[in-house]
Amino acid sequence: MGKVFIGTGRRKSSVAQVRMTTGSGKITVNGKDVRDFMPYETYVMDLKQPLVLTNNENTFDIEVKVTGGGASGQTGAIRLGITRALLQYDEPNEGNEDSYRKILKRAGMITRDSRAKERKKPGLKAARRAPQFSKR
């Protein structure tokens, strides 16, 4: 077994711990194959985006532990975790024009999506949803 590259990703209330090793392109999420774990193929395509952009779809075996949130948040967390693991792998080429950092930055993969659910306020039914107004 080769060197292990680790990345942690977060999105909404999901946290993903990604372990990346050289291999054949197998992705395992919480002990299951990624296609069995994710409900839709679009989620699988979304989390593979950093690998596709850097031409590494069949270069690494990826093992993921993900907790919290729903399928969409977990997908975003895994994607960020994979991106961070790829950046760790590509550290020696950091300054080059074709470095992973430049490719992934241009695609907007490096930045964490900080949008999360807004908290409920007192006197309201939800974060901003007020009770129905009654004139009489």
Side-chain angles (χ1 to χ4, degrees):
M1 197 161 144
K3 198 166 180 333
V4 177
F5 302 98
I6 296 170
T8 302
R10 292 181 187 87
R11 168 86 171 91
K12 293 187 178 182
S13 59
S14 302
V15 180
Q17 296 168 314
V18 176
R19 292 188 54 182
M20 196 169 76
T21 54
T22 51
S24 59
K26 188 170 173 252
I27 301 176
T28 312
V29 181
N30 290 354
K32 295 180 184 175
D33 182 64
V34 70
R35 295 188 192 290
D36 297 333
F37 187 81
M38 289 292 162
Y40 304 111
E41 187 62 30
T42 51
Y43 288 151
V44 177
M45 286 168 39
D46 190 31
L47 69 84
K48 282 185 175 180
Q49 251 182 333
L51 298 169
V52 172
L53 288 169
T54 57
N55 297 320
N56 285 314
E57 294 143 287
N58 301 316
T59 314
F60 297 105
D61 282 344
I62 298 172
E63 201 175 299
V64 182
K65 278 188 215 159
V66 66
T67 56
S72 174
Q74 288 183 348
T75 302
I78 294 168
R79 186 174 74 177
L80 183 60
I82 290 172
T83 300
R84 287 181 173 169
L86 280 169
L87 293 178
Q88 196 180 60
Y89 164 76
D90 195 48
E91 269 177 0
N93 304 331
E94 199 78 12
N96 295 357
E97 188 58 43
D98 59 340
S99 73
Y100 290 172
R101 182 165 198 86
K102 287 200 171 142
I103 294 165
L104 294 167
K105 182 77 174 171
R106 215 172 292 127
M109 300 279 164
I110 294 176
T111 311
R112 182 206 190 278
D113 189 345
S114 62
R115 294 176 297 167
K117 190 168 183 173
E118 194 175 331
R119 78 174 198 87
K120 184 192 172 298
K121 316 295 187 311
L124 300 180
K125 290 181 178 245
R128 299 181 187 208
R129 167 81 173 101
Q132 187 174 18
F133 175 75
S134 172
K135 204 169 213 178
R136 279 167 206 94

